Amino acid sequence: DAKTTQPPSMDCAEGRAANLPCNHSTISGNEYVYWYRQIHSQGPQYIIHGLKNNETNEMASLIITEDRKSSTLILPHATLRDTAVYYCIAGFQGAQKLVFGQGTRLTINP
Amino acid sequence: NAGVMQNPRHLVRRRGQEARLRCSPMKGHSHVYWYRQLPEEGLKFMVYLQKENIIDESGMPKERFSAEFPKEGPSILRIQQVVRGDSAAYFCASSPLPAASSYNSPLHFGNGTRLTVT
């Protein structure tokens, strides 16, 4: 699986958009980009995934650059409950052996 | 629809004892995955099971660890003769279809069992 690089921590004001970057410069053509988050003391929660095209669901949007070397997860209107560690993972379709890195610790401030 | 259920939430064992962690997948899910999260680290894949079969155990330590997913009942992760280094959060995840076959089948995780070895 391709290695991903994320900033260790970020802050965002409540109500603003949170933009979490991820670099995956060695991603292969058939590897997807997955995003999960882990709220303190809970299990990881799936957010979104995509291959080439931008994706949007009820939780977030995923923007993947044309060369697929990086992506951005966007939480459009962050709330305090979005405070969590966010993991960007590159892996094959339906990968069960997800390789979790250190993630980005996102703190939403009131 | 209940999510992935893990029990116990917290488990304390003395060195040398056995730990048994249980995982009931979401209804309709027949594929189970176990991950381990050491303190201040990311999650590491351990094993992938279907009903009565171990599909991939490449992340399991070679000794003392075993996993099963019987035809009836929950999946069990068993750690024999626990040591302090086994202290971690153990997460179970499930999916309805073989992971490699379904685009729209992300993993659903439980809230984990936190094992403390004293």
Side-chain angles (χ1 to χ4, degrees):
Chain A
D1 291 343
K3 179 179 168 58
T4 61
T5 304
Q6 300 177 253
S9 63
M10 291 182 64
D11 285 86
C12 180
E14 187 179 17
R16 305 297 291 268
N19 297 287
L20 291 89
C22 179
N23 287 323
H24 31 79
S25 58
T26 60
I27 196 169
S28 63
N30 54 354
E31 282 186 295
Y32 286 73
V33 179
Y34 296 84
W35 283 85
Y36 282 75
R37 73 180 181 184
Q38 188 173 22
I39 296 170
H40 183 60
S41 297
Q42 296 183 20
Q45 177 189 22
Y46 166 79
I47 302 173
I48 199 167
H49 71 297
L51 182 64
K52 296 179 185 177
N53 299 323
N54 298 337
E55 302 286 343
T56 296
N57 63 20
E58 64 279 2
M59 289 183 70
S61 295
L62 174 60
I63 308 298
I64 303 174
T65 58
E66 193 168 340
D67 63 7
R68 303 211 323 122
K69 292 183 185 300
S70 65
S71 60
T72 301
L73 178 75
I74 301 172
L75 308 178
H77 304 287
T79 71
L80 298 179
R81 288 179 294 180
D82 291 322
T83 292
V85 177
Y86 287 76
Y87 296 99
C88 168
I89 303 164
F92 295 100
Q93 178 176 312
Q96 70 272 23
K97 290 201 295 190
L98 298 175
V99 179
F100 289 82
Q102 296 299 310
T104 294
R105 186 173 298 275
L106 175 67
T107 302
I108 306 301
N109 300 306
Chain B
N1 189 15
V4 176
M5 303 300 293
Q6 291 188 249
N7 65 81
R9 283 299 307 272
H10 300 276
L11 181 62
V12 179
R13 286 286 178 266
R14 291 200 186 95
R15 278 181 298 170
Q17 291 185 317
E18 177 180 289
R20 292 171 69 86
L21 288 62
R22 288 177 291 278
C23 169
S24 296
M26 287 181 69
K27 187 176 181 180
H29 288 195
S30 58
H31 300 264
V32 164
Y33 315 81
W34 285 92
Y35 284 75
R36 176 167 67 173
Q37 186 171 32
L38 295 169
E40 304 303 320
E41 294 190 14
L43 287 86
K44 299 283 193 293
F45 168 81
M46 298 181 76
V47 62
Y48 163 35
L49 310 100
Q50 294 177 23
K51 286 285 188 180
E52 301 185 278
N53 288 305
I54 295 175
I55 306 302
D56 183 346
E57 56 181 347
S58 58
M60 287 279 269
K62 298 292 183 226
E63 297 176 347
R64 302 187 297 108
F65 284 71
S66 62
E68 63 177 10
F69 189 18
K71 187 176 180 181
E72 302 291 337
S75 176
I76 305 289
L77 180 68
R78 182 180 175 210
I79 312 171
Q80 296 178 288
Q81 299 176 319
V82 296
V83 300
R84 288 223 172 100
D86 297 333
S87 295
Y90 292 82
F91 291 96
C92 170
S94 71
S95 72
L97 296 171
S101 70
S102 174
Y103 178 80
N104 291 317
S105 179
L107 297 185
H108 298 264
F109 284 85
N111 282 329
T113 292
R114 276 147 189 83
L115 172 66
T116 301
V117 179
T118 62

